Amino acid sequence: MSKVVKAKYTDEAVAGFNHRTAMEEAARCLLCIDAPCSKGCPAGTDPGNFIRSIRFRNVKGAAEIIRENNVLGGSCARVCPYDRLCEEYCSRCGINRPIEIGKLQRYAVEQEKLHKMKILKAGKAKKAKVACVGSGPASLACAAKLAQEGYAVTIFEAQDKAGGVLTYGITPARLPQSVVDFDIKSVKDLGVKFVFNCKVGEDITLEELKKAGFRAIFIGAGLWASKIPAIPGNNLGGVYTAVDFLKQARDSKGKFDPGKNVVVIGLGDVAMDCATTAK
């Protein structure tokens, strides 16, 4: 009998491409003039162009296209439902199977990190200061765009780490923290400042931010409150919302012990993250 080896909580579930397999996959691209895959990307990452760059061995160009269009390109490559978006639009669907666009995006970003590429640049400094409340995807994208335009941006985060749902709400089997940290580094390298353990509204008020010279304030605090079904006993010990469950697991690097038998209510992506986390 073969021995079943349990994967670690922090292990990534799906392996990515190496150089050879990435080139082989990119070579399957039909180089469509109208690039339907790019039209199917709501983030505007332009897969038609970055796949073309990979196909012609211009990996740096591919990384530039991704990062310039989507500052969270690394995280999106892991968690975006591309099978229902860009890959579903791929012209190869009518021949055999779509190009594995998500894994090609992941490969390009991994090469960006491996070769220490510097892609994004801060714009010419302006005097205006801007505050972003929260450090999740919305604030990170907003801060990066403003910094590229030359604004001085400070992000205020209630937790002790940046990333919001990327850091606390997704199992590392799908989204390793190293990937999130690299996306955040792309924002920090633009000169964006971070203030942690500071809850706007309690530790500092909006009025105080204005008095500190912030000319504009972006609210990207997220939606952390969960909807709990009206089931008798939902307030008992051992009953968790999905967000709290996943956050405790990530904070403890998988050492959080919810008990031997776990029931998950729901069957969506978040429920699956909870189930695999518990397992």
Side-chain angles (χ1 to χ4, degrees):
M1 287 179 64
S2 61
K3 185 178 179 182
V4 177
V5 180
K6 179 182 177 295
K8 294 180 181 178
Y9 168 73
T10 53
D11 287 348
E12 194 162 10
V14 179
F17 285 138
N18 57 33
H19 180 73
R20 178 182 62 80
T21 54
M23 294 305 160
E24 288 176 351
E25 187 64 15
R28 296 177 56 240
C29 178
L30 299 174
L31 301 177
C32 306
I33 295 175
D34 58 346
C37 59
S38 291
K39 295 177 181 178
C41 177
T45 311
D46 199 2
N49 262 334
F50 76 68
I51 294 171
R52 181 185 293 267
S53 292
I54 294 173
R55 176 168 177 158
F56 293 108
R57 306 297 195 270
N58 182 10
V59 178
K60 185 175 187 294
E64 288 173 344
I65 291 168
I66 293 166
R67 187 65 67 184
E68 288 171 356
N69 288 319
N70 183 354
V71 72
L72 301 176
S75 297
C76 281
R78 283 352 194 256
V79 300
C80 178
Y82 33 77
D83 58 321
R84 304 195 299 271
L85 296 169
C86 56
E87 290 185 6
E88 191 173 80
Y89 282 75
C90 177
S91 296
R92 283 211 70 109
C93 289
I95 301 173
N96 46 20
R97 59 185 176 84
I99 305 297
E100 292 190 68
I101 297 172
K103 290 179 73 173
L104 284 175
Q105 181 172 326
R106 170 179 168 178
Y107 165 77
V109 174
E110 287 172 343
Q111 294 303 302
E112 175 193 358
K113 182 179 181 180
L114 178 65
H115 296 289
K116 299 179 180 178
M117 301 178 193
K118 296 293 182 183
I119 295 175
L120 302 182
K121 295 180 180 179
K124 187 176 179 180
K126 298 178 181 178
K127 292 183 178 180
K129 291 169 58 179
V130 179
C132 291
V133 180
S135 66
S139 283
L140 290 171
C142 176
K145 187 65 176 177
L146 289 170
Q148 287 176 281
E149 295 293 329
Y151 292 95
V153 186
T154 301
I155 293 178
F156 293 86
E157 170 56 50
Q159 304 291 335
D160 58 357
K161 289 183 287 188
V165 69
L166 302 177
T167 293
Y168 294 106
I170 302 174
T171 176
R174 286 205 297 135
L175 181 60
Q177 189 60 42
S178 60
V179 175
V180 180
D181 290 342
F182 184 61
D183 279 347
I184 293 170
K185 183 179 182 298
S186 298
V187 179
K188 286 182 177 178
D189 288 348
L190 291 170
V192 175
K193 298 178 181 178
F194 288 76
V195 178
F196 296 109
N197 299 305
C198 181
K199 191 170 185 177
V200 175
E202 293 183 7
D203 300 312
I204 190 170
T205 66
L206 293 178
E207 195 58 40
E208 287 172 329
L209 288 176
K210 291 179 181 178
K211 289 180 180 178
F214 290 100
R215 298 290 301 277
I217 300 171
F218 174 80
I219 307 294
L223 298 170
W224 288 94
S226 299
K227 185 176 181 180
I228 302 177
I231 300 173
N234 61 13
N235 60 339
L236 295 174
V239 177
Y240 304 92
T241 64
V243 171
D244 288 340
F245 185 83
L246 294 170
K247 185 177 184 299
Q248 289 193 55
R250 287 202 70 143
D251 281 345
S252 65
K253 293 184 170 62
K255 293 183 172 65
F256 166 55
D257 184 9
K260 185 175 181 180
N261 297 307
V262 177
V263 172
V264 178
I265 299 175
L267 199 61
D269 289 343
V270 177
M272 292 299 98
D273 277 354
C274 290
T276 54
T277 295
K279 192 67 177 176

